[in-house]
Coordinates of all heavy atoms in Angstrom, one line a residue:
K1 N 0.8 -1.2 0.0 CA 0.0 0.0 0.0 C 0.9 1.3 0.0 O 1.9 1.3 0.6 CB -0.9 0.0 1.2 CG -1.8 -1.2 1.3 CD -2.8 -1.3 0.1 CE -3.7 -2.5 0.3 NZ -4.6 -2.7 -0.9
R2 N 0.4 2.3 -0.7 CA 1.1 3.6 -0.7 C 0.1 4.7 -1.1 O -1.0 4.5 -1.5 CB 2.2 3.5 -1.8 CG 1.8 3.5 -3.2 CD 2.7 2.8 -4.1 NE 2.5 1.3 -4.1 CZ 3.3 0.4 -4.7 NH1 4.3 0.8 -5.4 NH2 3.0 -0.9 -4.6
S3 N 0.6 5.9 -0.8 CA -0.2 7.1 -1.1 C -0.2 7.3 -2.6 O 0.5 6.7 -3.4 CB 0.3 8.3 -0.4 OG 1.6 8.7 -0.9
L4 N -1.0 8.3 -3.1 CA -1.1 8.6 -4.5 C 0.3 9.1 -4.9 O 0.8 8.7 -6.0 CB -2.1 9.7 -4.7 CG -2.2 10.2 -6.2 CD1 -2.6 9.1 -7.1 CD2 -3.3 11.3 -6.3
I5 N 0.9 10.0 -4.1 CA 2.3 10.4 -4.5 C 3.3 9.3 -4.5 O 4.1 9.2 -5.4 CB 2.8 11.5 -3.5 CG1 1.9 12.7 -3.5 CG2 4.2 11.8 -3.7 CD1 1.9 13.5 -4.8
G6 N 3.1 8.4 -3.6 CA 4.0 7.2 -3.6 C 3.8 6.3 -4.8 O 4.8 5.8 -5.4
L7 N 2.5 6.2 -5.3 CA 2.2 5.4 -6.5 C 2.9 6.1 -7.7 O 3.5 5.4 -8.6 CB 0.7 5.3 -6.7 CG 0.2 4.5 -7.9 CD1 0.7 3.1 -7.8 CD2 -1.3 4.6 -8.0
V8 N 2.7 7.4 -7.8 CA 3.3 8.1 -8.9 C 4.8 8.0 -9.0 O 5.5 7.8 -10.0 CB 2.9 9.6 -8.9 CG1 3.7 10.4 -9.9 CG2 1.4 9.8 -9.1
R9 N 5.4 8.1 -7.8 CA 6.9 7.9 -7.7 C 7.3 6.5 -8.1 O 8.4 6.3 -8.7 CB 7.4 8.2 -6.3 CG 7.2 9.7 -5.9 CD 7.8 9.9 -4.5 NE 9.2 9.8 -4.5 CZ 9.9 9.6 -3.4 NH1 9.3 9.4 -2.2 NH2 11.3 9.6 -3.5
T10 N 6.6 5.5 -7.7 CA 6.9 4.1 -8.1 C 6.8 3.9 -9.6 O 7.7 3.4 -10.2 CB 5.9 3.1 -7.4 OG1 6.0 3.2 -6.0 CG2 6.2 1.7 -7.8
I11 N 5.7 4.4 -10.2 CA 5.6 4.3 -11.6 C 6.7 5.1 -12.3 O 7.3 4.6 -13.3 CB 4.2 4.9 -12.1 CG1 3.1 4.0 -11.5 CG2 4.1 5.0 -13.6 CD1 1.7 4.6 -11.7
G12 N 7.0 6.3 -11.8 CA 8.1 7.1 -12.4 C 9.4 6.4 -12.3 O 10.2 6.4 -13.3
A13 N 9.7 5.8 -11.2 CA 11.0 5.1 -11.0 C 11.1 3.9 -11.9 O 12.2 3.6 -12.5 CB 11.1 4.6 -9.5
R14 N 10.0 3.1 -12.1 CA 10.0 2.0 -13.0 C 10.2 2.4 -14.4 O 10.9 1.8 -15.2 CB 8.7 1.2 -12.8 CG 8.6 0.5 -11.5 CD 7.3 -0.3 -11.3 NE 7.3 -1.0 -10.0 CZ 6.3 -1.7 -9.6 NH1 5.2 -1.8 -10.4 NH2 6.3 -2.3 -8.4
Q15 N 9.6 3.5 -14.8 CA 9.7 4.1 -16.2 C 11.2 4.5 -16.4 O 11.7 4.3 -17.5 CB 8.8 5.2 -16.4 CG 7.3 4.8 -16.5 CD 6.4 6.0 -16.7 OE1 6.6 7.1 -16.3 NE2 5.3 5.7 -17.4
T16 N 11.7 5.1 -15.4 CA 13.1 5.5 -15.5 C 14.1 4.3 -15.7 O 15.0 4.4 -16.5 CB 13.5 6.3 -14.2 OG1 12.7 7.5 -14.1 CG2 15.0 6.8 -14.3
R17 N 13.8 3.3 -14.9 CA 14.6 2.1 -15.0 C 14.4 1.5 -16.4 O 15.4 1.0 -17.0 CB 14.2 1.1 -14.0 CG 15.0 -0.3 -14.0 CD 14.6 -1.2 -12.9 NE 15.1 -0.6 -11.6 CZ 14.9 -1.2 -10.4 NH1 14.2 -2.3 -10.3 NH2 15.4 -0.6 -9.3
L18 N 13.2 1.4 -16.9 CA 13.0 0.8 -18.3 C 13.7 1.7 -19.3 O 14.2 1.2 -20.3 CB 11.5 0.8 -18.5 CG 10.7 -0.3 -17.8 CD1 9.2 -0.1 -18.0 CD2 11.2 -1.7 -18.2
R19 N 13.6 3.0 -19.2 CA 14.3 3.9 -20.1 C 15.8 3.7 -20.1 O 16.4 3.6 -21.2 CB 14.0 5.4 -19.8 CG 14.5 6.3 -20.9 CD 14.3 7.8 -20.5 NE 15.1 8.1 -19.3 CZ 14.6 8.8 -18.3 NH1 13.4 9.3 -18.3 NH2 15.4 9.1 -17.2
E20 N 16.4 3.5 -18.9 CA 17.8 3.2 -18.9 C 18.2 1.9 -19.5 O 19.2 1.8 -20.2 CB 18.2 3.2 -17.4 CG 18.2 4.6 -16.7 CD 18.4 4.6 -15.2 OE1 18.4 3.4 -14.7 OE2 18.6 5.6 -14.6
Q21 N 17.3 0.9 -19.3 CA 17.5 -0.4 -20.0 C 17.4 -0.3 -21.5 O 18.3 -0.8 -22.2 CB 16.5 -1.4 -19.4 CG 16.8 -1.8 -18.0 CD 15.7 -2.7 -17.4 OE1 14.6 -2.8 -18.0 NE2 15.9 -3.3 -16.3
L22 N 16.4 0.5 -22.0 CA 16.3 0.6 -23.4 C 17.4 1.4 -24.0 O 17.9 1.1 -25.1 CB 15.0 1.4 -23.7 CG 13.7 0.5 -23.5 CD1 12.4 1.4 -23.6 CD2 13.6 -0.6 -24.5
D23 N 17.9 2.4 -23.2 CA 19.1 3.2 -23.7 C 20.3 2.3 -23.9 O 21.1 2.4 -24.8 CB 19.4 4.3 -22.7 CG 18.4 5.5 -22.8 OD1 17.6 5.5 -23.8 OD2 18.4 6.3 -21.8
R24 N 20.5 1.3 -22.9 CA 21.6 0.4 -23.0 C 21.5 -0.5 -24.2 O 22.4 -0.8 -24.9 CB 21.8 -0.4 -21.7 CG 22.3 0.5 -20.5 CD 22.7 -0.4 -19.4 NE 21.6 -1.1 -18.8 CZ 20.9 -0.7 -17.8 NH1 21.1 0.5 -17.3 NH2 19.9 -1.5 -17.3
I25 N 20.2 -1.0 -24.4 CA 20.0 -1.9 -25.5 C 20.2 -1.1 -26.8 O 20.8 -1.7 -27.8 CB 18.5 -2.4 -25.5 CG1 18.4 -3.4 -24.3 CG2 18.2 -3.1 -26.8 CD1 16.9 -3.8 -24.1
E26 N 19.7 0.1 -26.9 CA 19.9 0.9 -28.1 C 21.4 1.2 -28.4 O 21.9 1.1 -29.5 CB 19.2 2.3 -28.0 CG 19.2 3.1 -29.2 CD 18.4 4.4 -29.1 OE1 17.9 4.7 -28.0 OE2 18.3 5.1 -30.1
A27 N 22.1 1.5 -27.3 CA 23.6 1.7 -27.5 C 24.3 0.4 -28.0 O 25.2 0.5 -28.8 CB 24.2 2.1 -26.1
K28 N 23.9 -0.7 -27.5 CA 24.5 -2.0 -27.9 C 24.2 -2.3 -29.3 O 25.0 -2.7 -30.1 CB 23.9 -3.1 -27.0 CG 24.6 -4.5 -27.2 CD 26.0 -4.4 -26.8 CE 26.7 -5.8 -26.9 NZ 28.1 -5.8 -26.5
L29 N 22.9 -2.0 -29.7 CA 22.5 -2.2 -31.1 C 23.3 -1.3 -32.1 O 23.7 -1.7 -33.2 CB 21.0 -2.0 -31.3 CG 20.1 -3.0 -30.7 CD1 18.7 -2.6 -30.8 CD2 20.3 -4.4 -31.4
D30 N 23.5 0.0 -31.6 CA 24.3 0.9 -32.4 C 25.7 0.4 -32.6 O 26.3 0.5 -33.7 CB 24.4 2.3 -31.7 CG 23.0 3.0 -31.8 OD1 22.2 2.6 -32.7 OD2 22.8 4.0 -31.0
Q31 N 26.3 -0.2 -31.5 CA 27.6 -0.8 -31.6 C 27.7 -1.9 -32.6 O 28.6 -2.0 -33.4 CB 28.1 -1.3 -30.2 CG 28.4 -0.1 -29.2 CD 28.7 -0.6 -27.8 OE1 28.8 -1.9 -27.6 NE2 29.0 0.3 -26.9
L32 N 26.7 -2.8 -32.5 CA 26.6 -3.9 -33.4 C 26.4 -3.5 -34.8 O 27.0 -4.0 -35.8 CB 25.5 -4.9 -33.0 CG 25.7 -5.6 -31.6 CD1 24.4 -6.4 -31.3 CD2 26.9 -6.6 -31.7
G33 N 25.6 -2.5 -35.0 CA 25.4 -2.0 -36.4 C 26.6 -1.3 -36.9 O 26.8 -1.4 -38.2
G34 N 27.4 -0.7 -36.1 CA 28.6 0.0 -36.6 C 29.7 -1.0 -37.1 O 30.5 -0.7 -37.9
K35 N 29.6 -2.3 -36.5 CA 30.6 -3.3 -37.0 C 30.2 -3.8 -38.3 O 31.0 -4.5 -39.0 CB 30.6 -4.4 -35.9 CG 31.2 -3.9 -34.6 CD 31.2 -5.1 -33.6 CE 31.8 -4.6 -32.3 NZ 31.8 -5.7 -31.3

C-alpha cells in the first residue's frame, strides 16, 4: 500500500529504469550496427 504520491513515484521510478535499460539496448545495437 502507498499514497497517491508514492504510487506516482513508483511508476516514475520503474519508467526511469525501463528507459535506462532501453538506452543500454539501443547503445548495444548501435555498436553492433557499426561493426
Side-chain angles (χ1 to χ4, degrees):
K1 303 298 182 182
R2 70 208 81 186
S3 67
L4 177 60
I5 294 297
L7 180 62
V8 171
R9 294 182 69 201
T10 298
I11 294 173
R14 290 177 179 179
Q15 289 178 330
T16 299
R17 179 174 292 178
L18 288 173
R19 187 185 64 220
E20 292 172 348
Q21 292 173 345
L22 288 173
D23 287 345
R24 288 195 294 271
I25 291 173
E26 185 177 5
K28 188 65 174 179
L29 291 173
D30 288 341
Q31 292 176 359
L32 293 173
K35 293 180 180 180

